[in-house]
Each structure stands twice: as C-alpha cells, then as structure tokens.
Amino acid sequence: MHLRRSAHHVLGLVLAALLVTLSASPAGADETGLVPYYDPPFAADCVVHQFGEGQVPKLGSYPGDTLCVEYAKRDITLSTGGAVQFLLAEPARVLLILGKCRYWQQDHWSVQLAPGQTPVIRWDGSYWYDLGAGRAGARLRGLTVLGQPATIATAAAYVAPYSPELAAAFLKYGQGGDGASVTAGFPFNPFCPR
C-alpha cells in the first residue's frame, strides 16, 4: 500500500512538472497559453517512421524540418534485457530531433520487472512541437502506476493543497484528464518556417 501511495506521489510530481513547463508561455488562448491537447497542425503532412523495441534510428536518415516518429517501448523489462536495449537506443532517438523545426513523437511505454508482471508504470504518449509557430503539446493516455489508473484528477488532488491554481489548471486543460497544448504567440526558433 505504501508503495502505491509513493507511486501516486511521484506521478503527481511528474504531471505537475509537465503542466508547469507547458504553462510557462505568456500568450495564447488565455493568460497561460494553455489549451486542451490537440494533434499537431502538421499531422496531415507527416510520414510516421515506426521503430520497434530497442531499435536505434540511423542518424542522418531523416532529412527535412519535419520529423514524425512512433516508438514501441513496451519491453522496458529488467529480467530480459529490454531495459538495457531501451537505454542503448535512447541517445540516438534524442539526437535524431536536433535541428528539426517540427517534431511529433508517439510512443507506448511499459516498465516492469519481468514479463507478465504488473507494470510499474505504463502509458501511451504524444508529444510535439512546432518551433516556427511557437506551439507545443503533450499528452499521456492510459497512464497506470502499479496497475492503478492515474489521471490528471489524481495529480490535481495531489497538488491542490499546495497550489489550488495549478490543480484548477490541471482540470481545465487536461482534456479527458490526459494533457495540454500551449501556444506561445512567438516563434521558439525564428529560423524555422511559420
């Protein structure tokens, strides 16, 4: 029971950090710039490159300013080496986005000690940015901690005693309890096309 309570506290902090980061932009739909999550406006132009468990993308193989990827990350397992494969693939996955003006990543996470065990944490994610337009979005769906559903309402309840305003923002912008997007009103990178 104590482990589950601790996991929910960690989840609350993670979700709080995500929304605090997204709310740092000064302009947009309201005073915070936050709006409910939406897929990136350039989604229709995406060719989604899919990568399997632990698959390392070849750097330099994806030219252009727009990159859209989907990663399988369901085998982050200690007993089978899946966690090691994940760790070995991540540096290339991060380097792949350098210099990209528009990026959309969808991924499917599951971290467990051994196959068949209840995941320590599991979710499906969608994260994107458009540096020229000054927009970004992040969403977690199906988030569970130790097999228990964890929603934006969980995070809001956790932070409410410390920041009722942040808890209210979680509930307002967490469309279905799972994420937010932000518009900054200015380009994050003036060299990227609007």
Side-chain angles (χ1 to χ4, degrees):
M1 182 59 121
H2 176 69
L3 184 59
R4 284 189 176 168
R5 196 172 323 124
S6 296
H8 281 278
H9 287 207
V10 169
L11 170 69
L13 292 173
V14 168
L15 291 174
L18 172 66
L19 282 175
V20 167
T21 300
L22 288 174
S23 67
S25 297
D30 64 13
E31 65 279 356
T32 67
L34 287 171
V35 296
Y37 178 86
Y38 57 92
D39 285 343
F42 56 86
D45 301 328
C46 282
V47 172
V48 178
H49 303 280
Q50 296 181 328
F51 298 93
E53 299 289 342
Q55 184 178 354
V56 179
K58 291 183 180 180
L59 298 177
S61 295
Y62 307 95
D65 285 337
T66 301
L67 177 63
C68 303
V69 297
E70 184 170 8
Y71 292 118
K73 299 179 179 180
R74 290 275 194 234
D75 185 32
I76 305 175
T77 305
L78 296 179
S79 68
T80 63
V84 172
Q85 290 178 352
F86 164 78
L87 291 173
L88 292 174
E90 279 304 288
R93 291 172 174 181
V94 172
L95 289 173
L96 191 64
I97 70 173
L98 294 179
K100 301 298 181 192
C101 289
R102 300 188 306 176
Y103 178 71
W104 185 18
Q105 176 177 323
Q106 298 171 80
D107 54 26
H108 313 283
W109 291 77
S110 184
V111 179
Q112 52 278 323
L113 299 177
Q117 288 190 345
T118 300
V120 176
I121 190 165
R122 181 181 176 102
W123 77 86
D124 294 299
S126 178
Y127 332 96
W128 63 269
Y129 64 76
D130 183 335
L131 297 179
R135 297 181 192 162
R139 172 177 64 189
L140 303 178
R141 289 179 295 169
L143 182 61
T144 63
V145 177
L146 299 174
Q148 299 299 309
T151 66
I152 218 71
T154 305
Y158 178 75
V159 300
Y162 311 103
S163 175
E165 298 82 11
L166 184 58
F170 279 23
L171 296 173
K172 181 176 180 180
Y173 298 106
Q175 177 193 42
D178 67 4
S181 298
V182 66
T183 298
F186 57 87
F188 294 133
N189 182 341
F191 299 105
C192 288
R194 285 184 158 244

